[in-house]
Amino acid sequence: MSTPLGPGADHFTEASIRRAAWLEAARTAAEAALRFTTPAEFAAARGALEGLSDRFRRLADHYTTAEQPAGLTWAARADHAVHLYARTAIERDDARTEAARLRARIAELEQRDAWLTALESAGVDNWSGIDHALELHRSP
């Protein structure tokens, strides 16, 4: 499918035009399928047109994504890219901060586990106050 823009067209505009053309073809095929309503002999034709319409929609989805602003100026595209990068960078920094916090918590828990294991090995579970400590631990 060729676009009317020619070889000097930018990628976003060309993709937008191709998407619009595929969507128009899908709409036309869907409308044609609706014309075959009654006789069973037209069921195959209707099914073929509906399938063609679905394939055209999938082809249209191939040309743009939600992250590609179609039909915008280069300034608007640059602004979109900056916002997208900033959002990604913020999410990455938040994830790194959360990962560092979780690593510190894991290290703290590993130290506590090592200390409790050492206490158990030393026989603290034979201590006369172990039942009271367990009650304190289990109570809300």
Side-chain angles (χ1 to χ4, degrees), residues 100-135:
R101 187 187 69 74
L102 290 173
R103 278 191 214 99
R105 180 69 177 143
I106 288 171
E108 176 187 324
L109 291 172
E110 285 174 343
Q111 286 178 343
R112 182 170 171 77
D113 181 56
W115 171 246
L116 292 174
T117 302
L119 286 175
E120 285 177 351
S121 297
V124 81
D125 53 339
N126 292 327
W127 171 53
S128 61
I130 191 71
D131 292 330
H132 179 67
L134 287 172
E135 287 177 24

Side-chain angles (χ1 to χ4, degrees), residues 46-81:
R46 182 178 179 154
L49 286 168
E50 288 170 348
L52 188 62
S53 177
D54 288 342
R55 283 191 289 274
F56 285 156
R57 280 193 195 90
R58 284 195 300 270
L59 282 168
D61 290 341
H62 172 72
Y63 283 102
T64 57
T65 67
E67 298 297 327
Q68 293 177 336
L72 299 178
T73 64
W74 277 107
R77 288 185 191 129
D79 187 49
H80 173 76

